[in-house]
Structure formats: structure tokens, C-alpha cells
Amino acid sequence: MQHPAPHTNAHGFSLSFDKTQLQLDVIHGFLTESYWAKGISIDLVAQAVEHSLCVGVYAGTKQVAFARLITDYTTFAYLCDVFVLEDYQGKGLGKWMVQALREHPRLGNLRRWLLATTDAHSLYAPFGFTPLAMPERFMQVHMPNIYQQP
């Protein structure tokens, strides 16, 4: 699949859709401590990355941010696992990744994008994300502690 070319912003950070640049130890290190994927194994992170559209942001060769999109590239996308390492927060990197995903040429005709967040609504609202208009239509199976089971 053809992705937009990597590019660098005015602050010297680079953004890329190239999965070979992703640093699974960084991604796993963050996710395993996150409120949404606490305890996830590195093997599950690797499998999730393999089957998703991913974007990373780098300071030199160090990965400092990540976002993952689960999509069929035709009708639907679920944005998840968005993070910026603490030392790099406040620099617009999260917004940059969401914008890059929303502008990806393969995703322009999607009918629905979804995400779940407890604390980052203001990050996503400028990109068209709103609360569900009819939440009663949506259902879920949710197992929040699945990665912490023996």
C-alpha cells in the first residue's frame, strides 16, 4: 500500500507511516502502562501493529509518538493507541498524527471514524470527532482487564 512520504515539521520532528521504523519496545512500554491497555504483552502489540495502519513521530531516530488505526480502508476506521511520550507533549505531535491520518489518501471516503478517550476530547474535536449522536445504537463487549489476567 502506498502511504504519504515521511515529512519533517519546523521543530525537526519527523512523521512516517513506515512500519519498519516503529520501535515496538517504545510502543509496548507506553501501552503496557496506559489506562486502556495495561499489562498488554509485546506479542499482542506486535500483532496489533501488523494488522493496522500506524503512524510514528521521531526525534532523530527515537520514536516519541504513535497512533494506530484499525480500518478496512473503505467504510470504517477506529483510532486507538494514540500517545506522545511525556517529554514531548505540548508540541502538537498528537494533532500532527491525527491530521496525517485524517488526510491519508486511502481514507478519504470512510463513512465513519470512531475512537474512545477519557481525557483527550479537545485533541480530537478539531478533526471532526464528536460525541455519538445516537449512542443507543452502539453496543460493545468490553473486557478492560483482559491483559492483566494470568
Side-chain angles (χ1 to χ4, degrees):
M1 170 187 313
Q2 191 74 341
H3 294 297
H7 54 285
T8 303
N9 70 9
H11 303 288
F13 293 100
S14 61
L15 180 145
S16 177
F17 287 94
D18 182 356
K19 285 186 185 179
T20 65
Q21 289 187 301
L22 294 174
Q23 297 167 10
L24 281 181
D25 58 329
V26 173
I27 299 166
H28 175 255
F30 187 93
L31 292 179
T32 196
E33 297 299 325
S34 70
Y35 70 82
W36 65 88
K38 189 153 196 69
I40 192 169
S41 72
I42 196 163
D43 292 335
L44 287 178
V45 171
Q47 186 174 351
V49 165
E50 179 183 350
H51 297 289
S52 301
L53 173 61
C54 301
V55 62
V57 174
Y58 306 87
T61 59
K62 179 182 178 178
Q63 184 170 356
V64 299
F66 175 77
R68 183 168 72 89
L69 197 71
I70 304 165
T71 184
D72 63 4
Y73 296 96
T74 307
T75 62
F76 179 79
Y78 181 78
L79 179 59
C80 57
D81 295 341
V82 179
F83 70 83
V84 177
L85 296 180
E86 188 173 357
D87 290 346
Y88 299 90
Q89 292 176 2
K91 301 178 185 312
L93 303 180
K95 291 177 183 175
W96 193 23
M97 290 188 298
V98 175
Q99 180 178 0
L101 286 165
R102 292 285 288 143
E103 294 176 353
H104 192 290
R106 285 287 315 276
L107 305 174
N109 292 320
L110 297 183
R111 187 175 61 133
R112 185 178 310 272
W113 292 66
L114 287 178
L115 64 83
T117 184
T118 61
D119 59 358
H121 298 77
S122 63
L123 167 65
Y124 302 109
F127 300 100
F129 288 93
T130 61
L132 294 175
M134 293 175 273
E136 66 276 6
R137 289 188 177 186
F138 291 82
M139 297 178 69
Q140 69 177 354
V141 173
H142 187 224
M143 298 178 284
N145 299 319
I146 194 166
Y147 306 127
Q148 297 169 29
Q149 296 175 3

